[in-house]
Amino acid sequence: MNQGPTMQSLVKMINNIMGHNVLSEQQLNKILEGAKKIYDKGGMPAVIQYLMKVTQADVDAQELTQFAENVKNNPQIGMDILEGKKSIRPQKKKR
């Protein structure tokens, strides 16, 4: 069974994407623990609000929800983004 990335490799990927250290393993563990508690109480919409608050992300909640659904339906998309193989935001078509 594929366990996915380790906490250490996930933190490393996130920091690489950001270009500098923005997260430690301890911080990510705390965020994930909080997300699980929130999910148990309010489901995915509550988790998205929690993550936006914790990370102070300036993103559209609906866009983030759609992204989460895409990753849920195809987890490889999330790994491809974390590994830099795909962009989080789709390329806009040129006219």
Side-chain angles (χ1 to χ4, degrees):
M1 185 169 122
N2 185 1
Q3 294 288 325
T6 65
M7 191 68 66
Q8 181 180 20
S9 65
L10 188 55
V11 167
K12 184 177 178 181
M13 283 189 279
I14 292 169
N15 287 333
N16 284 341
I17 288 170
M18 298 306 294
H20 62 284
N21 290 345
V22 296
L23 195 61
S24 70
E25 287 181 59
Q26 294 79 14
Q27 290 169 316
L28 183 57
N29 249 337
K30 187 173 181 179
I31 290 169
L32 292 176
E33 287 172 7
K36 182 179 180 344
K37 288 177 186 174
I38 296 293
Y39 180 81
D40 291 343
K41 291 180 182 178
M44 188 53 85
V47 170
I48 289 172
Q49 291 299 319
Y50 166 76
L51 291 175
M52 289 175 64
K53 180 180 176 185
V54 169
T55 62
Q56 298 178 359
D58 185 22
V59 296
D60 180 68
Q62 186 174 4
E63 185 179 326
L64 190 55
T65 301
Q66 181 61 47
F67 173 73
E69 282 297 316
N70 289 340
V71 172
K72 179 181 173 186
N73 294 330
N74 183 359
Q76 188 59 47
I77 291 172
M79 286 304 300
D80 289 348
I81 290 168
L82 287 173
E83 293 171 350
K85 295 177 185 174
K86 288 188 177 182
S87 172
I88 288 179
R89 297 184 188 267
Q91 298 291 332
K92 293 188 179 183
K93 294 180 181 177
K94 294 180 182 178
R95 295 180 184 205

